[in-house]
Structure formats: structure tokens, C-alpha cells
Amino acid sequence: MATSFKGIKFFDTTLRDGEQTPGVSLTTDEKLWIARQLDALGVHVIEAGSAITSEGERAAIRAVAGEGLNAEICSFTRTLKSDIDFALECNVDSVHLVVPVSDLHIQQKLKKDRETVLQMAVDVTEYAKGHGLIVELSGEDASRADLDYLISLYKEGISAGADRLCFCDTVGVLIPERTEIIFKKLAELGVVVSVHCHDDFGLATANSIAALKAGAQQVHVTVNGLGERAGNTSLEEMVMTLDALYGCKTKINTTNLYKTSRLVSRLTGVPIAPNKAIVGDNAFTHESGIHTHGILADTSTYEPITPEIVGRTRKIVLGKHAGKSSVKMALKEFGLEANGQQVSEITKRIKELGDKGKRVTDADLQAIAEAVLGIYREAKVKLEELTVVSGNKVTPTASVKLIMDNREIVESGTGIGPVDAAINALRKAIADTADIKLEEYRVEAITGGTDALVEVWVKLSKDEKMVTARGARADIIMASVEAVVEGINRLC
Ligand code: MN
């Protein structure tokens, strides 16, 4: 279903609206890192921040602007000449000049009237243009503004030199039908119109598509849909919806999408929901036997796009829905061969574990398979001793004694807490043998009181290899160490 979308531009505001996510604050280096990644991805505009915010923010914007990227570098500004001056100090190419346009914002927030606000928009647009900046004149809370007033403000803005317009659905209340009607009118204004949506009702992507269909030529997005409250339109959802569902090839390098998503999640500290479209952990993961059976025959049976398109790989997870075909596939990954009867027995035991509500780890699968196949595998690494010191006046420190290939290794490590210290000590102890990375750490189940069983689930990697393992103890430190030792034994 090809439509008439042509030359759609991506205006990425991960570093401005995305950074306004509660609890997120990026350093100059982190902003630079993300900006370089966005540029490699091929976005057209990078809104690097809001120059008025602070000296630190200006240093970051200046660094991004000085990086020599292909993308246009932009700063958010209000309708104040002082904001433009600060943006100029950062050597940006453009300003996202935001004017509150709803009566609610004009009267309650600014304590002004429509005429005054319109005049401010015109004056500051002229001022910015006079200083050589590209101006994207943006209506804040436009979806709750009087459309006739908004259009007159836009027209005056264009006369004052505005290069582009932006319509902001600041509180995410647009619906696709209304979006289409509005953007058909805005498309008649004769300049590039942007759409800026928020995801308060989960409609940001749908509304942005509706706007583009009606004539908008640029879409504001953030990586992982970061942003205030429920966030903004997500970059990866927009790109893949256009590409895979509308047959519109964008300039975005889709195979970099997942890498970008992980980088932003790591640097902002905002985790991605497992069921998030395109970049969530489960987006290309299959567990049920029926689904994996289909996937084995033809991946398109249960996948709308192949994971490689967005730079990912497919994952088969075993649990109570496991079927023989998924077990066979998983065994193959570990280089294990089993006959039909053995596969049935392994599947049965995996289902039993799944029925108990357990997540079946790679270590579980290997242990079950080895038992069924009669393979005896001596653990390479054994934990002999563990000592941990922790408290409010000491640096958490741990020492471990390991037996590895009949050798005794004693090592110590410090960390931000006792678990971290213990795992650092372990990693140091095996550092000569293998470079093990802890990719994920989860405390899975804590039932009852403080003496109850704690389950720790870890994901470890060594080079390209990745395994999951579990430890279950009443002591959270011991459970963590057990999980990591188990994982190391599976990796080495
Ligand atoms: Mn916004």
C-alpha cells in the first residue's frame, strides 16, 4: 500500500523533550554520544537542548553544534530575544521557537492576551532571522487552541520570515480524524509543517501518521518515545510504520535503530518496557510451541518484519508453552544432539519447570539436557569461600576463593553495594580466563518475610555468547553469586 509520502524529515528531540523525561539529565559527553548516533541514523534535525536552561546545557549544545554533523542542530527557545541570544552563543543552525497558543496557556501561564503573544512571536521571529537562524515557529498546546487564531499567527510568522511551522499536541489529546482535518488546512500555508505529538493516550504514532498523510512534511520524534509524561512519538515506531506498513522508504538507516535505542536507554537510565514495539525485549522473542513451530517453517508466520531489519536477532524462550521444535532449536544452539524420545523428555521437564511459574534459563535447559542425555559435566569454577563487608562507614568489599581447574584463586573487589562488590570480586578472579560481562541482573521473586527465598536472574555475556542463569537462596548476595558462578560455568 504505497502512499504519496515523499521526503519526510525526522526532527529528533531526544536531547530536549526526551531529556525532560522525569529524572533524566544528560552530561555533555552523553549528549554528544547520542547526537553522533542520531546523525549516523540519518535524522535531519537534532534538537540538542534548550539554550536558556543553564551554562552546562549551553556547553552541551555548543559541543553538538561543533561536532560537524550532517544534521541541522537546533535549540529550543521561547518568544524572548534573550533566549535567541543564548541560542546564538551555542552556534546552532536553527531555533525551535515555541509560542503558547491556546487561551489556557496564554491567559493562565503567560497572563497575556492573544494580540500580545502574536506580536511577540512576530518580533522574535524577525530577530532570529535577522541573526541568520533557521526558524521553526511552533504553536504550543496547538491542539487546544482556536484554529483561526493559530492560522493567523502562523501567517504573520511566515511574513516575518519563519521557515517552518510546527503544531504541538502538547498534552496528547489529538485523534487521527481531527489531525487529518487540521493538517489539510495547515498544508495550504505553503511552508514545511511539522507535527509534534505526545503519547498520553498511546496515539502519538497514529496521529503523526495522520498528519503526514494530510500534508505535514516533518515529524518530531524521540528515541524509545522518551519525553514528558507518557512521552513523545517514538522514532523507531515512526520509521518502521512508514517503511514496513506504508511502503515509504525513509532516509533512516533502520539497521541502527536497536543500537540507538539501547544506547539511549543506557545513558538516560530509562528502561524499555519488554512489550515496547520494535525495540522491546519481547518484540522478536517467541515462547509458545505453536508460534516457534511456525517460525521454524517460515519466520513471517509470526513476525511482521524480520529482526535483522532493525539490527536485532530472534530469540526463542523456553517455558510452559515450549514445544519440541523450540526445544530442538535451543539445544542446537548449545551444540547438543538429542533423539526424538530425548527431546520429548527434555520438553516435558521444561514444561514442569514452566508450570511452577519459573522462567527457564539457559543454565536450566543445559542442566536438564545433560541429565537426560547422560552427559556429566564437571563445573569449571567452584566457589569455596565468600566474605562480604558492608555498612554505612565502609566501602562495600568482598573477597572470594574459587577453585578453577584445580587451581585456587583468591581475589577481592569493591562496589557500590555488597552484591556489586561480590560480583566484581568474582569477575576479577576469572579475568585471566574470560572477560565476562554482566548484561542484566534481576531479583525475580521475594516471597514472605526477610528470611524468605530470593531468586536472582542474570544474563552474562562473553564475546558474542550470551547465557541466562539463576540462583535461589535466602541470602541475596549468595543467590547473586550462585547465579553468576552458574552462568560462568555455562560460558567457559
Ligand atoms: Mn513536547
Side-chain angles (χ1 to χ4, degrees):
M1 183 178 57
T3 61
S4 59
F5 294 135
K6 252 188 224 117
I8 288 164
K9 289 191 166 150
F10 285 83
F11 178 115
D12 186 282
T13 179
T14 306
L15 299 178
R16 200 276 299 171
D17 219 331
E19 205 202 12
Q20 283 168 228
T21 300
V24 173
S25 177
L26 297 164
T27 64
T28 295
D29 281 347
E30 290 167 339
K31 280 205 174 194
L32 256 181
W33 199 347
I34 293 172
R36 276 190 224 112
Q37 184 61 33
L38 289 170
D39 199 53
L41 205 58
V43 304
H44 302 81
V45 184
I46 295 172
E47 188 172 25
S50 175
I52 188 75
T53 307
S54 66
E55 188 44 56
E57 176 88 340
R58 283 190 286 283
I61 299 172
R62 219 174 280 134
V64 172
E67 190 66 9
L69 302 176
N70 291 319
E72 171 189 314
I73 308 302
C74 179
S75 169
F76 176 96
T77 66
R78 298 168 299 173
T79 42
L80 294 170
K81 288 180 183 168
S82 52
D83 279 29
I84 302 293
D85 292 335
F86 278 121
L88 286 166
E89 270 185 36
C90 302
N91 306 318
V92 292
D93 303 305
S94 62
V95 285
H96 178 209
L97 177 51
V98 178
V99 194
V101 289
S102 67
D103 289 330
L104 178 69
H105 276 230
I106 290 173
Q107 290 161 12
Q108 301 302 320
K109 191 173 83 171
L110 296 180
K111 313 274 183 218
K112 291 192 163 53
D113 57 53
R114 288 182 179 187
E115 283 62 42
T116 311
V117 167
L118 191 148
Q119 198 51 52
M120 285 166 71
V122 167
D123 290 347
V124 179
T125 299
E126 280 173 353
Y127 184 74
K129 285 309 295 176
H131 287 81
L133 290 163
I134 298 169
V135 174
E136 178 159 331
L137 182 62
S138 191
E140 184 183 19
D141 202 23
S143 48
R144 293 190 296 180
D146 170 19
L147 195 56
D148 290 334
Y149 168 69
L150 177 64
I151 288 177
S152 65
L153 182 141
Y154 280 156
K155 283 181 174 165
E156 295 284 335
I158 294 168
S159 302
D163 301 272
R164 302 190 296 257
L165 304 172
C166 178
F167 182 100
C168 298
D169 183 21
T170 303
V171 291
V173 293
L174 275 181
I175 52 174
E177 292 81 359
R178 199 170 154 246
T179 307
E180 202 177 328
I181 295 167
I182 292 168
F183 278 81
K184 275 189 175 146
K185 287 192 183 148
L186 302 184
E188 289 166 11
L189 293 169
V191 295
V192 168
V193 179
S194 288
V195 58
H196 178 109
C197 291
H198 278 268
D199 209 28
D200 295 74
F201 291 89
L203 289 172
T205 302
N207 289 331
S208 299
I209 290 284
L212 294 176
K213 270 179 76 178
Q217 288 161 278
Q218 182 171 268
V219 57
H220 284 210
V221 290
T222 61
V223 176
N224 300 336
L226 277 181
E228 296 200 84
R229 304 184 312 282
N232 288 57
T233 306
S234 122
L235 167 70
E236 58 280 4
E237 288 175 22
M238 267 322 279
V239 171
M240 292 319 298
T241 299
L242 287 169
D243 185 299
L245 304 183
Y246 286 91
C248 157
K249 293 289 167 217
T250 67
K251 289 226 170 75
I252 304 297
N253 175 4
T254 63
T255 54
N256 263 341
L257 283 172
Y258 187 59
K259 202 162 76 179
T260 310
S261 160
R262 299 302 309 172
L263 177 74
V264 168
S265 173
R266 190 159 58 80
L267 296 184
T268 57
V270 180
I272 301 163
N275 58 339
K276 166 78 177 64
I278 315 292
V279 293
D281 239 11
N282 293 346
F284 297 96
T285 299
H286 309 277
E287 176 179 332
S288 117
I290 299 166
H291 282 209
T292 45
H293 186 73
I295 288 281
L296 284 175
D298 182 343
T299 57
S300 68
T301 51
Y302 290 103
E303 280 176 356
I305 54 171
T306 61
E308 290 77 16
I309 294 178
V310 294
R312 306 191 59 174
T313 51
R314 182 172 301 115
K315 226 164 61 186
I316 306 290
V317 163
L318 300 173
K320 71 171 177 183
H321 304 109
K324 283 186 225 163
S325 48
S326 45
V327 169
K328 234 191 234 166
M329 201 165 160
L331 287 173
K332 221 172 112 191
E333 268 180 46
F334 287 106
L336 295 170
E337 287 272 346
N339 64 31
Q341 204 190 340
Q342 289 165 329
V343 170
S344 297
E345 179 60 25
I346 294 168
T347 309
K348 196 184 114 204
R349 293 197 196 182
I350 283 170
K351 279 174 177 289
E352 279 168 11
L353 205 57
D355 273 336
K356 287 183 198 148
K358 300 275 189 219
R359 178 197 297 265
V360 180
T361 65
D362 298 331
D364 292 332
L365 168 69
Q366 278 181 291
I368 290 171
E370 282 162 15
V372 172
L373 302 176
I375 303 166
Y376 177 70
R377 196 167 173 276
E378 201 180 356
K380 192 176 167 75
V381 177
K382 272 188 215 143
L383 180 71
E384 286 283 302
E385 280 172 26
L386 169 74
T387 315
V388 177
V389 183
S390 184
N392 69 338
K393 289 265 163 63
V394 294
T395 303
T397 306
S399 68
V400 293
K401 190 205 275 182
L402 299 179
I403 303 291
M404 190 167 173
D405 300 327
N406 298 321
R407 254 182 331 128
E408 195 180 283
I409 303 170
V410 179
E411 193 56 83
S412 62
T414 59
I416 50 169
V419 171
D420 190 39
I423 288 169
N424 284 339
L426 268 178
R427 285 180 47 194
K428 274 169 77 180
I430 59 144
D432 288 342
T433 315
D435 184 19
I436 306 272
K437 283 202 188 79
L438 179 64
E439 300 284 346
E440 245 182 279
Y441 173 91
R442 218 175 323 195
V443 178
E444 192 94 313
I446 305 171
T447 50
T450 51
D451 59 348
L453 195 69
V454 176
E455 257 192 20
V456 170
W457 184 92
V458 296
K459 192 191 270 179
L460 301 176
S461 72
K462 180 189 151 214
D463 306 323
E464 294 292 285
K465 222 171 136 196
M466 187 102 71
V467 296
T468 50
R470 179 177 46 230
R473 293 291 190 107
D475 176 334
I476 189 167
I477 300 164
M478 274 313 297
S480 308
V481 168
E482 189 177 273
V484 171
V485 169
E486 180 73 48
I488 289 171
N489 275 315
R490 298 293 159 184
L491 275 175
C492 289

